[in-house]
Amino acid sequence: LATGPRQNNGIFFEIRTYDIKPAKMKEFVEMVSKYIHLRTAHSELVGFWYAELGAMNKVFHIWKYDNFAHRTAVRHALANDKDWQGKLISAILPLIEKQHNELAYLVPWCQLGKPPKEGGVYEWVTFQMKPGGPALWGEAFQAAINAHINTGYTRLIGVFHTEYGLLNTVHVLWWNESPDHRAAGRHSAHEDARVVAAVRDSVRFLESQQNVLLIPLQFSPLK
């Protein structure tokens, strides 16, 4: 995971999660939906979702950058963008309780995917792996992901390995037609001997796991 293509180009992804005040989610979504074009004028938005299950009053958004110089230039431009600062930032900051960001690379064996159609749901799975890095757990983790892909019930969108933030963290983004379709597929997958064997091998290196069901906002490129 930590060698190869991701070191040969500078592309990385900034993963931002905001905890929104419980009574202010509707207002937050309305404001962001109205003015997000001011932000996307500066850099590429991969996706923007709100949590439906597994977390509450939380939004997730992912931004793509060519390299660190690109991000620095974008942040500088945003700081000087009066429309962005005045119309959106000043309005949404009082609605946010907490902000968190991570920087992550796609793992070398995964390209950023797209769903086969609009209208499904996303699953954001965070794996906290044992210290030691991909040299310790990378092969077993990849095998477990591939075992689920091979069942065909779900679509892999991306596998992100953190570079800044809590290390040995891997975020996996899946797409499913619906929560019920995901539940049925997951049930059958976990009766598949190949999946069971791959998961058993991988969990030897697992510290914790969190799953969140995400709903894309209307303006999200991934929806």
Side-chain angles (χ1 to χ4, degrees), residues 12 14 16 38-44 63-81 84-85:
F12 62 79
E14 184 173 1
R16 286 182 165 248
L38 298 174
R39 176 61 184 83
T40 55
H42 292 278
S43 66
E44 181 180 347
W63 299 87
K64 181 180 178 182
Y65 293 101
D66 296 333
N67 48 47
F68 287 96
H70 179 209
R71 182 184 183 276
T72 298
V74 169
R75 301 306 299 176
H76 179 76
L78 287 170
N80 291 282
D81 186 329
W84 167 249
Q85 294 290 336

Side-chain angles (χ1 to χ4, degrees), residues 8 21 30 65 93 101 122 136 142 168 178 192 195 199 216:
N8 293 332
K21 293 180 179 179
E30 289 175 349
Y65 293 101
L93 282 180
N101 77 325
Y122 291 79
L136 175 67
Q142 181 180 356
N168 296 295
S178 70
D192 186 316
V195 175
V199 170

Side-chain angles (χ1 to χ4, degrees), residues 10 49 92 162 188 208 215 220:
W49 305 264
I92 66 170
T162 56
S188 61
S208 66
I215 307 298
S220 175

Side-chain angles (χ1 to χ4, degrees), residues 190-210:
H190 287 180
E191 294 181 341
D192 186 316
R194 295 166 298 178
V195 175
V196 172
V199 170
R200 281 178 176 171
D201 190 37
S202 179
V203 297
R204 294 183 294 124
F205 308 107
L206 182 66
E207 295 280 3
S208 66
Q209 176 180 338
Q210 181 182 19

